[in-house]
Amino acid sequence: MENNVIIKISHLFKSFGEVKAVNDLSFQVRKGELFAFLGVNGAGKSTTISMICGQLRQDAGEVEINGRNAVLASGETKRELGIVFQDSVLDRPLSVKDNLRSRAALYGITGRSFEKRLGELMELLDFSSFINRPVGKLSGGQRRRIDIARALLHRPEILILDEPTTGLDPQTRMLIWDVIERLRKDEGMTVFLTTHYMEEAASADYVVILDSGRIAAEGTPYELKTKYVNDTVSVYGASEEDMKRLGLAYTPVRDGFRFSVENTGEAVALITAHPELFRDFEVIKGGMDDVFLAVTGKELRGDNK
Amino acid sequence: MKKLCALVGRHRRLYFKDRGMLISSFISPAILIVLYATFLAKVFKESFVSALPEFFTVSEKIIDGTVAAQLTAALLAVSCVTVTFSVNFTMIQDKVSGARKDLNVAPIGKPTIYLSYFISTVFNSLMVNLAALALCLVYVSSAGWFLSVTDVACLVGDVVLLVSFGAVLSSVICYPMTTQGQMSAVGTIVSAGYGFLCGAYMPISSFGEGLQKVLLHLPGTYGTSLLKNRMLRGVFVEMGSAGIPEEAVNGIKDALDCSLSFHGHAVTTPEMLLVMLGSIVVLGALYFVIMKLDKK
């Protein structure tokens, strides 16, 4: 398998009537990496995920999981995928245990094997206190933990998380991210993530930004930030005359001044050339929010602009 | 097989957890018995008595037994099919709740998923309809009991057959449905119309010739007749023993749809069984084809 690729998408197309939801999409996900798939609502993220999971048949193109065609070898590829859907899809009237038991049986995990796996997941996701409660009576955060437990029941190689932390409290978000990090570290699990939180995408190994079913940009967070957004330099304790000497557009802030440079190299050159001016300063790289805005012209949270 | 059992178990647990659906499934046949006994028994009895030749004297027990057997057979014929439509609710509910997405990503084939809905519908509907059969037998015993142990065993078999027919019919009809509204609309239509179409509410012998011909092409008609034959067999034997001529008994059989004639051929009870079995096979094949053609 080339470069340890675990998911390979090649020239994928999917239309719903006149709407081209996915339009010639190609990308690769490497084993063990955290892959972030970004895009505004309707960009084609969920449609792509549905095709990866075999829920939806593509019009053209190919999806390969671990070197196998996902359509032709759907039974085997399904065992390699664990999916956390955007909305909880567990049976609300049934207890957590009943839900997990019935889903585990679909992977051939029954009896003692199930009890053992349940114990491991209870420890990992800390849900022993509500194991017998109906899923419909759980809080959003508790339910999310059970959704993740369900996805992990069969020890998948790839964990697909479709906006897993949307609407959750910070504590639960942190717990979920701790779990994801542990799974990646301890089990080498590949995580395919869609999210609206840019700070989550910032910690990804690789990012693909989708716009109208096409890739608008891709790369590591560093590459994207370097390519699409400026660095911000804040200078403290300098006078306005000093700033004018630099010949750059600047903005006064409470304790100093702020200006923008194309990249960190430019900032370093300025600092080296004017050491007397840069006695107290900070250089901040542009964030993923800025990358997303620069690439798509849209903000990820709230309405599109 | 384990996966299929796990799915059937899950569907059944969901059905039992829905107390409203569970209670209404069990109460419906009981309510129907009360309604039939209250409003229809008298009409059936008067119509039966008026149809008897003047010079015949038939005991009250035979008359009441005939009416009760006719009513309960009709009730079971309707209940076995209509209950499956409310019990098959899980198939649509899973689409509404998104649970189907979760089942679809598991390593199980679509045929296993759909077979599991069918099997759980059969099990749950059987539970309700066997309870209804027990109630019916209590009612029959209070009116006039002429059934043998074999008749009761055959009735249980007929209920299994009709429930299987109802389950596969509801599976085919409910397959494309995606909302609870569609399901309840279909349930209402089936509940209202099936009793007329299968000859349960009114014997098809009382309909016009054209309509009779149409209804004789529907398998439900034979299911109802099958139940009537079982329920009334003992009564007809008793009528013979009471001195009622065979021609008169045959006339009553015709009037109550126990004897059906398909294009001049008198359909026997084993043939009725075959019609029902054949319908289950054909509808089952249709269910499979629909599922296979559905590329979603």
Side-chain angles (χ1 to χ4, degrees), chain A residues 78 91 103 106-107 150, chain B residues 3 10 101-102 104 107:
Chain A
K78 279 176 177 178
D91 302 318
R103 298 308 201 267
L106 304 180
Y107 295 85
R150 182 264 172 266
Chain B
K3 291 175 185 179
R10 174 231 174 223
K101 286 199 289 186
D102 202 26
N104 287 345

Side-chain angles (χ1 to χ4, degrees), chain B residues 9-76:
Chain B
R10 174 231 174 223
H11 303 332
R12 297 204 67 202
R13 269 195 294 280
L14 280 172
Y15 173 73
F16 284 111
K17 284 279 176 187
D18 192 339
R19 302 266 182 248
M21 200 202 294
L22 186 69
I23 293 168
S24 67
S25 305
F26 274 100
I27 282 181
S28 303
I31 291 174
L32 277 176
I33 283 192
V34 172
L35 291 176
Y36 272 43
T38 311
F39 297 104
L40 285 179
K42 196 165 172 248
V43 178
F44 276 33
K45 188 174 176 177
E46 282 169 2
S47 132
F48 179 67
V49 172
S50 64
L52 285 171
E54 272 180 32
F55 49 89
F56 285 142
T57 315
V58 179
S59 76
E60 198 69 11
K61 191 182 170 193
I62 291 180
I63 295 171
D64 287 343
T66 308
V67 170
Q70 188 190 355
L71 282 177
T72 50
L75 181 143
L76 282 171

Side-chain angles (χ1 to χ4, degrees), chain B residues 214-296:
Chain B
V214 173
L215 296 180
L216 280 165
H217 285 83
L218 302 178
T221 306
Y222 300 94
T224 310
S225 183
L226 199 58
L227 282 169
K228 285 184 176 175
N229 272 295
R230 305 284 192 219
M231 278 286 193
L232 288 157
R233 191 204 58 82
V235 178
F236 293 139
V237 171
E238 191 63 25
M239 282 179 184
S241 308
I244 300 176
E246 200 181 335
E247 295 76 28
V249 175
N250 287 340
I252 296 168
K253 280 184 183 176
D254 289 346
L256 297 181
D257 289 347
C258 290
S259 309
L260 296 175
S261 173
F262 184 77
H263 293 287
H265 169 72
V267 185
T268 61
T269 311
E271 285 170 342
M272 289 176 188
L273 269 170
L274 279 177
V275 168
M276 293 311 291
L277 281 171
S279 307
I280 293 168
V281 172
V282 169
L283 285 169
L286 183 63
Y287 186 42
F288 186 77
V289 169
I290 294 171
M291 184 197 62
K292 279 285 174 192
L293 291 177
D294 182 11
K295 293 289 178 203
K296 273 189 280 180

Side-chain angles (χ1 to χ4, degrees), chain B residues 18-249:
Chain B
D18 192 339
R19 302 266 182 248
M21 200 202 294
L22 186 69
I23 293 168
S24 67
S25 305
F26 274 100
I27 282 181
S28 303
I31 291 174
L32 277 176
I33 283 192
V34 172
L35 291 176
Y36 272 43
T38 311
F39 297 104
L40 285 179
K42 196 165 172 248
V43 178
F44 276 33
K45 188 174 176 177
E46 282 169 2
S47 132
F48 179 67
V49 172
S50 64
L52 285 171
E54 272 180 32
F55 49 89
F56 285 142
T57 315
V58 179
S59 76
E60 198 69 11
K61 191 182 170 193
I62 291 180
I63 295 171
D64 287 343
T66 308
V67 170
Q70 188 190 355
L71 282 177
T72 50
L75 181 143
L76 282 171
V78 174
S79 163
C80 283
V81 172
T82 54
V83 164
T84 59
F85 279 82
S86 60
V87 170
N88 214 345
F89 193 67
T90 316
M91 185 159 85
I92 286 100
Q93 183 60 25
D94 278 356
K95 289 183 193 168
V96 176
S97 71
R100 263 308 295 279
K101 286 199 289 186
D102 202 26
L103 301 182
N104 287 345
V105 297
I108 38 165
K110 213 157 64 160
T112 310
I113 298 176
Y114 280 102
L115 184 62
S116 71
Y117 288 126
F118 169 74
I119 294 173
S120 67
T121 302
V122 170
F123 281 161
N124 293 337
S125 307
L126 261 182
M127 199 178 60
V128 174
N129 283 298
L130 289 175
L133 173 63
L135 270 176
C136 287
L137 293 178
V138 170
Y139 175 62
V140 168
S141 70
S142 71
W145 182 271
F146 298 101
L147 294 167
S148 65
V149 176
T150 315
D151 290 332
V152 175
C154 287
L155 275 169
V156 171
D158 294 343
V159 168
V160 173
L161 195 68
L162 260 81
V163 161
S164 303
F165 169 72
V168 72
L169 179 69
S170 70
S171 297
V172 170
I173 293 176
C174 297
Y175 186 93
M177 288 175 200
T178 50
T179 67
Q180 291 160 343
Q182 291 169 348
M183 181 67 182
S184 72
V186 167
T188 308
I189 293 166
V190 170
S191 300
Y194 184 76
F196 287 103
L197 291 176
C198 73
Y201 296 155
M202 301 274 286
I204 63 164
S205 58
S206 59
F207 296 148
E209 204 175 314
L211 187 54
Q212 278 190 42
K213 276 184 181 163
V214 173
L215 296 180
L216 280 165
H217 285 83
L218 302 178
T221 306
Y222 300 94
T224 310
S225 183
L226 199 58
L227 282 169
K228 285 184 176 175
N229 272 295
R230 305 284 192 219
M231 278 286 193
L232 288 157
R233 191 204 58 82
V235 178
F236 293 139
V237 171
E238 191 63 25
M239 282 179 184
S241 308
I244 300 176
E246 200 181 335
E247 295 76 28
V249 175

Side-chain angles (χ1 to χ4, degrees), chain A residues 15-163:
Chain A
S15 297
F16 298 104
E18 296 295 304
V19 181
K20 288 182 175 171
V22 173
N23 193 0
D24 196 15
L25 194 63
S26 297
F27 62 84
Q28 296 181 346
V29 181
R30 289 186 190 169
K31 213 169 221 173
E33 76 179 2
L34 171 57
F35 182 94
F37 200 47
L38 309 180
V40 292
N41 293 332
K45 304 186 300 288
S46 294
T47 305
T48 307
I49 288 179
S50 296
M51 288 188 279
I52 292 173
C53 313
Q55 292 249 50
L56 203 59
R57 192 68 67 89
Q58 62 262 37
D59 296 337
E62 205 168 284
V63 177
E64 276 181 38
I65 310 285
N66 248 339
R68 283 190 297 260
N69 185 305
V71 177
L72 300 176
S74 72
E76 291 121 75
T77 56
K78 279 176 177 178
R79 286 185 181 279
E80 287 161 5
L81 299 174
I83 300 142
V84 177
F85 292 96
Q86 231 172 70
D87 302 309
S88 184
V89 289
L90 293 173
D91 302 318
R92 297 171 78 92
L94 302 186
S95 71
V96 170
K97 192 169 182 177
D98 279 346
N99 262 289
L100 295 179
R101 195 202 311 274
S102 66
R103 298 308 201 267
L106 304 180
Y107 295 85
I109 307 165
T110 53
R112 280 190 181 177
S113 312
F114 167 69
E115 293 295 339
K116 186 168 176 278
R117 186 63 182 144
L118 181 67
E120 290 166 359
L121 291 169
M122 274 198 293
E123 196 185 325
L124 183 72
L125 287 150
D126 187 24
F127 60 84
S128 55
S129 59
F130 49 89
I131 183 77
N132 292 315
R133 207 179 296 167
V135 166
K137 292 197 173 155
L138 302 180
S139 69
Q142 290 171 330
R143 208 175 303 147
R144 216 46 174 158
R145 279 187 263 168
I146 305 309
D147 291 335
I148 294 174
R150 182 264 172 266
L152 296 174
L153 273 168
H154 56 294
R155 299 179 192 277
E157 275 194 66
I158 304 162
L159 180 63
I160 296 178
L161 301 157
D162 196 359
E163 295 178 23

